[in-house]
Amino acid sequence: MFVIVRHGNTFETGDQPRRIGAPTDLPLTGQGIEQARALGSHFADMGWQFSRVLVSPLKRTRQTAGEILSRQANAPEQESAAFLREIDHGPDEDQPEEVVLARIGGNALKAWETGAVPPTGWSVDREGRIAAWHDLFENADPGEATLLVTSNGAARFALMAAEGLSDAASKLPSLKLPTGGYGVIGCSDLGQLQLVAWGVRP
């Protein structure tokens, strides 16, 4: 089982949200920490014990993972994984959404949100990320639970890494995970990857 978590909030209530990617290493807000703690309590209540934890190198993901793992007995160490690092929004980095939308247009934003097709100017390495997720799925022990803590832009490529997942992803209204939310990818009885849940927020 693979549990894919998006970090908690990095903007305070009332702040204007902006497109924040890899170049901007923000910490969690107080609310973001509470979201991470809620995830930890939720997973503990579900009885999920993680044998491996992969995180983005950014503060917000490492903090989120730390809060989750604080509620796990015999929690494993966090492993930094470059493919989980948030994307770089290029000219749209640190810009409010209306400015981003004015530059790239509605069709480009929809293609990103529903098909993980990056707009012009963003640094994403789409194929490299898909390949990294595919390798993870191919080499993991299906009997173990792996926690992955990442960002909105990076998480969606998990859904592109296997045929069964991409079919399920095409039926979602958006590939976006909410802050403090998660998705679950499991294995069927035939050993095929399947999307169990996406966009769940405790």
Side-chain angles (χ1 to χ4, degrees), residues 11 18-26 58 60 86-96 99-100 103 121-123:
F11 293 106
R18 305 183 304 279
R19 284 271 168 177
I20 297 299
T24 310
D25 197 5
L26 296 179
L58 298 176
R60 50 195 182 264
E86 179 61 300
I87 65 167
D88 183 342
H89 296 102
D92 300 316
E93 182 71 19
D94 203 24
Q95 295 297 317
V99 173
V100 176
R103 188 189 78 83
W122 292 12
S123 179

Side-chain angles (χ1 to χ4, degrees), residues 32-60:
I33 291 171
E34 289 304 313
Q35 288 174 324
R37 290 174 178 168
L39 284 163
S41 296
H42 176 72
F43 296 152
D45 289 345
M46 297 285 284
W48 293 351
Q49 181 67 41
F50 300 109
S51 56
R52 189 180 185 193
V53 179
L54 300 177
V55 298
S56 154
L58 298 176
K59 290 175 187 174
R60 50 195 182 264

Side-chain angles (χ1 to χ4, degrees), residues 147-163:
L147 174 67
L148 302 106
V149 185
T150 183
S151 302
N152 172 42
R156 67 192 63 207
F157 293 103
L159 302 178
M160 308 287 111
E163 185 176 347

Side-chain angles (χ1 to χ4, degrees), residues 5-11 20-30 32-33 36 53-69 78-81 84-86 149-151:
V5 168
R6 181 182 176 188
H7 61 78
N9 283 358
T10 53
F11 293 106
I20 297 299
T24 310
D25 197 5
L26 296 179
L28 296 179
T29 63
I33 291 171
V53 179
L54 300 177
V55 298
S56 154
L58 298 176
K59 290 175 187 174
R60 50 195 182 264
T61 50
R62 290 186 284 111
Q63 283 182 286
T64 301
E67 293 294 341
I68 293 170
L69 294 176
Q78 297 183 30
E79 301 176 45
S80 183
L84 296 179
R85 189 180 184 92
E86 179 61 300
V149 185
T150 183
S151 302

